[in-house]
Amino acid sequence: MIKKIIAFTYLNIYHRRLMYLFNILSKRESSTIQENRAYQNDKLINILDIAFENIKYYEKLEINTKDLSYDEFKKIPILTKEIIRNQSNVLVNPNFQQINEVIKNTSGGSTGEPLTFFRTKEQGYYGIANYYLALHQNGINIFDSSVDLWGAERDMYNTNSKFDIRSLFYNKITLNTFVLSDEIMNTYIHRLNKIKPKFIKAYVHSIYEISKYITKHNIKIQFKPVIHCTTGPLYPEMRSEIVNAFNDAVVYNFYGSREVSAIATEIKEQEGMFVLYDNVFIEILDKNDQQVKKGEEGEVVVTTLNNFYMPLLRYKIGDRAIKGDDLNFGTLKLDAVVGRTLGMIHREDGFKIDGQFFTSLFFGKKGIKNFQLIQKTILELELRIVKSDSYDPEELNSIINRIKKEMVGAEIKIIFCENINLTASGKIMYVYSEI
């Protein structure tokens, strides 16, 4: 209770803007889909007006935002990662006043394509507020105790959390799951049973591996958490394994990205994933960039609503999803996100390494446009590389050396190619094991 009070006090004193946004969102829970769409439309028009008035890339567009229709909106050209990489200087707002609150960031994530972009402090607040909303909608008090089963490359093998004042302020403990072994999983399960967190945020593959270990060894979990899964699709067999291991826990999938923050979330006792309409506007488009119908799969195209320095308009994020409603101007519901595939890579000593670790090695690497890492056998890896114009062999060597440090004794076959092949469903599997 004391830690909960500390978290409440800290957030409400030092992050008042964040809490204000979260409280506003929480009050909108009873809003209808029509009200949410109108609210989102107002935010969409606002960000478009700012972009058209200030950003050089959009200066020649003639779009009527006073009576914005989807036909008008579709006049905005699709934004790709390649365009951002090559024309970022004309995609930012030179008149943005809070330039000291602009943060340079890099994404690799589920797409594997390194990308540099700019976010603002305000966008960060909106992203966290929408993440808190997802927790709230799944029955969690955001000040309750929590555990993040997360990853940090610099701290991969530290299973003993050192005292961190931020952990006290947020009532949260982080356990690094970039690397997992039976010993590490056993240690973490013991820690979880001791902490008994109300909710767990986890890489979906990490919590799935831990759940299988719990079931295999018939370990008794002494609490029933809400479990927030992210960085990959939550397949039915994975959900079932996690639910059973953690005492019929509420398990939900959350969809977000580094570039745009929160995108969509599952809500307990409801089907599908609900778009976080306060943060993003979403389209699901076919190969001809036309909106698909309900139940059809297509590419996820995102327009950010809270970044006034570098708004991303009609941005192809690199994921695929199934449209879940009949709206003819975007979507507020997804049946599923189907195109974000990262797996676990196996080591000879029994350790498993989350695919997110490997994608993180490509963050900020300008010379590598795309990649795919395939584990053929326990000691044989195949690394496919698509080079950019600024390719630097030393950059790739540093990545290979880091991989070899984790995959001791493994042979890494490098294949340079023009592109990464898609699966039959149009996905790219960036990290996976054939074992």
Side-chain angles (χ1 to χ4, degrees), residues 269-286:
E269 299 176 357
Q270 298 189 46
E271 294 185 359
M273 299 190 74
F274 295 84
V275 172
L276 294 160
Y277 60 88
D278 175 65
N279 198 51
V280 291
F281 174 81
I282 299 294
E283 302 167 84
I284 308 298
L285 305 183
D286 63 20

Side-chain angles (χ1 to χ4, degrees), residues 103-294:
I103 303 162
K104 185 177 181 180
N105 212 328
T106 303
S107 170
S110 62
T111 69
E113 300 179 49
L115 183 73
T116 298
F117 58 96
F118 295 92
R119 296 178 56 183
T120 64
K121 186 176 181 180
E122 182 76 348
Q123 182 189 13
Y125 280 143
Y126 273 100
I128 298 171
N130 279 271
Y131 161 66
Y132 283 173
L133 178 67
L135 289 173
H136 177 69
Q137 291 174 322
N138 284 285
I140 283 297
N141 182 318
I142 64 170
F143 309 112
D144 276 335
S145 62
S146 68
V147 168
D148 285 1
L149 297 175
W150 216 237
E153 187 270 336
R154 66 183 178 278
D155 202 26
M156 290 175 64
Y157 294 91
N158 180 20
T159 59
N160 298 310
S161 299
K162 294 177 288 187
F163 176 76
D164 185 341
I165 193 68
R166 291 174 298 179
S167 296
L168 178 63
F169 289 154
Y170 289 97
N171 197 12
K172 177 177 70 175
I173 296 295
T174 299
L175 301 177
N176 201 314
T177 59
F178 263 173
V179 173
L180 289 175
S181 66
D182 287 358
E183 182 180 0
I184 291 173
M185 286 190 285
N186 192 57
T187 298
Y188 285 174
I189 292 164
H190 176 76
R191 293 287 304 280
L192 288 170
N193 269 334
K194 184 176 181 180
I195 298 167
K196 296 181 176 62
K198 296 290 185 180
F199 74 94
I200 295 171
K201 181 176 80 170
Y203 291 144
V204 63
H205 286 90
S206 297
I207 191 71
Y208 179 52
E209 289 297 324
I210 291 171
S211 297
K212 288 192 293 183
Y213 183 87
I214 289 169
T215 301
K216 178 180 178 180
H217 295 277
N218 198 27
I219 299 172
K220 174 64 178 175
I221 296 299
Q222 300 170 12
F223 62 103
K224 182 179 177 179
V226 170
I227 300 177
H228 164 114
C229 296
T230 190
T231 68
L234 180 61
Y235 297 113
E237 64 273 16
M238 299 171 80
R239 188 193 301 270
S240 178
E241 188 76 50
I242 298 166
V243 167
N244 291 336
F246 284 90
N247 297 321
D248 294 322
V250 172
V251 177
Y252 73 96
N253 202 10
F254 183 87
Y255 175 34
S257 80
R258 292 171 70 90
E259 303 102 303
V260 306
S261 301
I263 299 175
T265 185
E266 288 185 328
I267 298 175
K268 66 176 181 178
E269 299 176 357
Q270 298 189 46
E271 294 185 359
M273 299 190 74
F274 295 84
V275 172
L276 294 160
Y277 60 88
D278 175 65
N279 198 51
V280 291
F281 174 81
I282 299 294
E283 302 167 84
I284 308 298
L285 305 183
D286 63 20
K287 62 181 180 180
N288 298 314
D289 293 334
Q290 298 301 309
Q291 185 161 246
V292 304
K293 296 178 181 179
K294 179 180 179 181

Side-chain angles (χ1 to χ4, degrees), residues 110-113 205 232-238 297-300 317-322 336-342 370-372 374 419-432:
S110 62
T111 69
E113 300 179 49
H205 286 90
L234 180 61
Y235 297 113
E237 64 273 16
M238 299 171 80
E297 181 181 321
E299 289 195 71
V300 179
I317 197 166
D319 297 329
R320 297 181 66 82
I322 299 171
V337 177
V338 296
R340 314 177 72 227
T341 308
L342 295 173
N370 208 341
F371 85 98
Q372 184 181 56
I374 306 167
N419 53 64
I420 302 298
N421 293 330
L422 302 179
T423 65
S425 59
K427 309 172 193 176
I428 293 179
M429 298 181 68
Y430 293 98
V431 178
Y432 71 96

Side-chain angles (χ1 to χ4, degrees), residues 52 58-64 72 75:
F52 298 158
Y58 299 108
E59 64 183 1
K60 294 182 180 179
L61 287 180
E62 295 184 4
I63 295 177
N64 178 16
E72 282 290 293
K75 293 178 183 178

